[in-house]
């Protein structure tokens, strides 16, 4: 067993800690006995240097800009596989055979309808509430309708709960949008594939036909795949932390939805479009790049930078290609693209961004495609939720199946008062 030696040079005490090999990426040092051996804790603000778990689901090589789901490169999955095939892969570890896919996809269709009583919940909300507030409430309410599944134990119960949540999320997101617009809620169409059904529930009206092109379904399907999982990002870590307390899966996913809402995380996609609109023209780009570089200005270039990627986010590359392919067929807003391309062109050559390895991330390109698909800006992050639900659930199930997993309980560096009397 290889070991890492820590030495406290205040007293010369040292101890050895096992190095655990990783299949890909950096090996890890197991420091669980550090305090017992040397009386200290580690301090890692933002936990960017700390492994919180052992996982075999997704791997990111931030230096190379590589993303693998169960070993398969994201570029190949986005291009060659349907989103529900990717869901099967994440949940089961292998891509489905044709028969397995038919059964899996069929089991999803039955679960698309939430309990009819849940429709009443939407009327409790003002129509100008942010869709993320409504969606997280609707998912939390699911636990009141499926309380028989609050204490999942067996693998099949977990799979049943996961399929239910993945199947219902597009319906709840569409209901959220329809309520926000003051439109009638549209029931799921059992004859349409997952992604087509989502666009149908967003666009249809009780009478008349609904236009949905194959190009649009393929674009949205690829976007769901690109958002499906991403190692231990903030919202996934939130889901794992809540799951580690024994709270039920719906509570963990609701916590993940709310963590994703932050503009430094999944909320960035909405902010990118708002920022491009604010920049307003190619001529104004330089002014905003200057603001982003100014240490005294908290303005940041939304859609740029990443905690792990220090190269192009591979998902961003796929989205950029998709955006340019769809530009004519979907009539993507070329003014925003011109501004985005100018921001990208300058930022990728400017020393400030190059030195800090700040590249476009997934959120930099997704917004222009969403707009072209007729998705309203405040619905961008709910779309991210639909794609990411499978990743949250896969990671949660892995946590629950890990016999060594304990309740998350980080320590701290205390810098407050010493003991004193009132
Ligand atoms: C997602 O973790 C995941 O995997 C998330 C995600 C997923 O799939 O789950 O990939 C989804 O959340 C993508 C990221 C979306 N967020 C944004 O686009 C918001 C804008 N980006 C930044 O807020 C920032 O880049 C973060 C939050 C994404 C990452 O921040 P870090 O790793 O904590 O980097 P940092 O704050 O330590 O910044 C390092 C330096 C700083 O400058 P110095 O102090 O060294 O002088 O880079 C600067 C920062 O000021 N910097 C930026 C910047 N991002 C970092 N400067 C200008 N614009 C930016 N966007």
């Amino acid at each position: 067993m290889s070991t890492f030696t820590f030495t406290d040079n205040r007293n010369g005490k040292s101890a050895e800690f096992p190095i655990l090999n990783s299949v890909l990426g950096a090996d890890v040092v197991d420091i669980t006995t550090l305090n017992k051996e040397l009386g200290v804790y580690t301090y890692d603000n933002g936990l960017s240097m700390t492994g919180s778990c052992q996982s075999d689901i997704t791997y990111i090589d931030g230096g190379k800009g590589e993303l693998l789901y169960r070993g398969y490169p994201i570029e190949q999955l986005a291009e060659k596989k349907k989103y529900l095939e990717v869901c099967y892969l994440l949940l089961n570890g292998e891509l489905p055979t044709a028969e397995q896919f038919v059964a899996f996809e069929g089991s999803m269709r039955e679960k698309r309808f939430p309990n009819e009583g849940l429709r009443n919940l939407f009327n409790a909300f003002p129509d100008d509430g942010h869709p993320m507030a409504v969606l997280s409430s609707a998912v939390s309410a699911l636990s009141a309708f499926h309380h028989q599944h609050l204490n999942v134990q067996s693998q099949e119960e977990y799979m049943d709960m996961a399929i239910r949540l993945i199947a219902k999320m597009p319906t709840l997101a569409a209901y959220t949008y329809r309520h926000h617009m003051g439109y009638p809620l549209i029931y799921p169409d059992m004859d349409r594939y997952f992604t087509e059904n989502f666009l149908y529930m967003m666009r249809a009206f009780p009478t008349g036909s609904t236009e949905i092109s194959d190009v649009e379904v393929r674009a949205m399907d690829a976007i769901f795949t690109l958002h499906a999982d991403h190692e231990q990002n903030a919202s996934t870590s939130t889901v794992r932390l809540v799951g580690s307390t024994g709270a039920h899966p719906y509570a963990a996913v609701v916590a993940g939805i709310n963590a994703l809402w932050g503009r430094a995380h999944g909320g960035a996609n909405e902010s990118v479009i708002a920022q491009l609109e604010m920049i307003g023209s190619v001529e104004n780009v330089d002014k905003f790049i200057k603001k982003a570089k100014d240490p005294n200005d908290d303005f940041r270039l939304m859609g740029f930078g990443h905690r792990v990627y220090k190269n192009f986010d591979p998902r961003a590359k796929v989205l950029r290609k998709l955006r340019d392919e769809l530009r004519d067929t979907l009539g993507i807003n070329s003014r925003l693209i011109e501004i985005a391309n100018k921001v990208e062109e300058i930022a990728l050559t400017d020393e400030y961004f190059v030195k800090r390895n700040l590249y476009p991330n997934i959120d930099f390109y997704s917004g222009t495609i969403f707009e072209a698909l007729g998705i309203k800006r405040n619905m961008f992050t709910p779309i991210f939720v639909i794609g990411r639900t499978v990743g949250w659930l896969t990671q949660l199930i892995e946590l629950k199946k890990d016999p060594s997993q304990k309740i998350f309980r980080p320590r701290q560096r205390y810098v407050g008062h010493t003991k004193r009397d009132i």
Side-chain angles (χ1 to χ4, degrees):
M1 162 74 74
S2 309
T3 58
F4 217 83
T5 304
F6 281 104
T7 300
D8 185 340
N9 60 17
R10 296 171 299 181
N11 54 29
K13 272 186 78 178
S14 69
E16 303 211 330
F17 300 91
I19 295 177
L20 307 179
N21 294 120
S22 300
V23 171
L24 290 175
D27 293 335
V28 295
V29 181
D30 180 347
I31 55 166
T32 39
T33 60
L34 176 64
N35 184 259
K36 195 167 109 240
E37 302 271 357
L38 297 176
V40 293
Y41 296 119
T42 57
Y43 179 69
D44 177 16
N45 183 7
L47 298 179
S48 47
M49 290 300 137
T50 298
S52 63
C53 63
Q54 173 170 300
S55 180
D56 63 5
I57 302 167
T58 294
Y59 173 71
I60 300 171
D61 183 325
K64 283 198 269 182
E66 187 177 66
L67 170 60
L68 310 176
Y69 289 169
R70 300 288 190 186
Y72 293 107
I74 190 66
E75 299 85 346
Q76 294 180 29
L77 291 170
E79 194 184 326
K80 299 189 170 100
K81 292 298 171 185
K82 287 185 168 195
Y83 172 67
L84 283 197
E85 291 177 286
V86 173
C87 287
Y88 186 97
L89 168 68
L90 287 168
L91 285 168
N92 296 285
E94 294 298 339
L95 285 164
T97 61
E99 297 74 28
Q100 286 167 334
F101 182 67
V102 167
F104 181 73
E105 209 261 348
S107 66
M108 286 265 180
R109 291 183 189 230
E110 295 151 24
K111 293 190 168 24
R112 285 174 175 174
F113 284 82
N115 183 296
E116 195 64 0
L118 207 141
R119 286 166 65 101
N120 302 325
L121 176 90
F122 292 87
N123 297 324
F125 290 93
D127 55 15
D128 61 352
H130 194 289
M132 284 295 278
V134 180
L135 180 58
S136 66
S137 306
V139 177
S140 188
L142 270 185
S143 56
F145 289 90
H146 298 282
H147 39 73
Q148 75 277 25
H149 291 136
L150 294 191
N151 184 23
V152 282
Q153 295 296 331
S154 66
Q155 177 59 12
E156 46 278 9
E157 280 180 341
Y158 277 121
M159 213 42 93
D160 185 51
M161 173 276 299
I163 288 170
R164 174 184 303 112
L165 260 173
I166 295 166
K168 280 181 177 44
M169 203 58 85
T171 310
L172 297 178
Y175 281 5
T176 298
Y177 169 69
R178 301 290 293 197
H179 171 74
H180 177 70
M181 298 299 288
Y183 295 161
L185 305 189
I186 296 294
Y187 282 121
D189 180 342
M190 298 293 273
D191 297 331
R192 294 175 193 255
Y193 166 67
F194 181 93
T195 305
E196 185 189 350
N197 174 53
F198 171 64
L199 290 173
Y200 167 75
M201 295 186 292
M202 292 285 283
R203 293 182 183 175
F205 279 88
T207 56
S209 63
T210 307
E211 287 299 307
I212 302 173
S213 69
D214 290 346
V215 167
E216 292 175 309
V217 175
R218 276 202 309 277
M220 183 57 79
D221 209 58
I223 283 172
F224 285 149
T225 292
L226 294 170
H227 287 81
D229 193 44
H230 214 236
E231 286 190 2
Q232 308 311 316
N233 60 83
S235 53
T236 299
S237 297
T238 303
V239 169
R240 278 184 173 259
L241 188 146
V242 172
S244 77
T245 70
H248 57 76
Y250 298 99
V253 168
V254 170
I257 291 173
N258 286 294
L260 187 74
W261 193 0
R263 69 193 303 264
H265 192 12
N269 52 21
E270 185 178 342
S271 311
V272 166
I273 293 290
Q275 201 166 82
L276 292 175
E277 291 276 357
M278 181 176 62
I279 293 172
S281 71
V282 169
E283 292 70 31
N284 285 345
V285 169
D286 282 324
K287 184 174 75 177
F288 285 93
I289 293 279
K290 208 170 282 141
K291 274 175 69 67
K293 291 161 57 176
D294 180 354
N296 302 316
D297 189 333
D298 62 4
F299 178 84
R300 286 202 160 178
L301 216 44
M302 300 316 284
F304 260 77
H306 198 276
R307 176 60 59 79
V308 177
Y309 288 121
K310 301 308 169 191
N311 199 324
F312 241 99
D313 181 336
R315 302 167 299 176
K317 277 187 183 170
V318 174
L319 276 173
R320 189 181 199 282
K321 185 165 160 269
L322 192 63
R323 180 200 70 183
D324 293 345
E325 280 167 6
L326 298 174
R327 183 176 194 150
D328 303 330
T329 41
L330 288 187
I332 293 182
N333 182 326
S334 47
R335 186 175 65 86
L336 288 188
I337 292 184
E338 271 151 40
I339 298 170
N341 287 346
K342 185 71 179 167
V343 167
E344 185 187 327
E345 178 199 315
I346 295 175
L348 292 183
T349 51
D350 183 294
E351 197 260 341
Y352 171 91
F353 295 91
V354 172
K355 193 173 86 173
R356 292 168 177 79
N357 297 307
L358 301 176
Y359 288 86
N361 60 50
I362 187 166
D363 296 306
F364 189 66
Y365 301 103
S366 53
T368 42
I369 299 177
F370 289 156
E371 291 229 313
L373 289 168
I375 307 285
K376 268 189 83 184
R377 206 165 295 170
N378 60 14
M379 282 297 294
F380 288 4
T381 310
I383 303 254
F384 198 143
V385 169
I386 296 174
R388 185 55 57 89
T389 295
V390 64
W392 287 332
L393 291 167
T394 306
Q395 299 269 352
L396 178 66
I397 293 170
E398 182 177 68
L399 171 116
K400 294 284 189 180
K401 280 164 50 180
D402 178 354
S404 68
Q405 185 59 53
K406 296 184 208 167
I407 187 169
F408 277 52
R409 195 348 183 146
R411 306 307 292 252
Q412 64 175 10
R413 177 188 177 217
Y414 178 70
V415 290
H417 285 289
T418 55
K419 188 173 168 186
R420 57 180 173 163
D421 297 321
I422 294 172

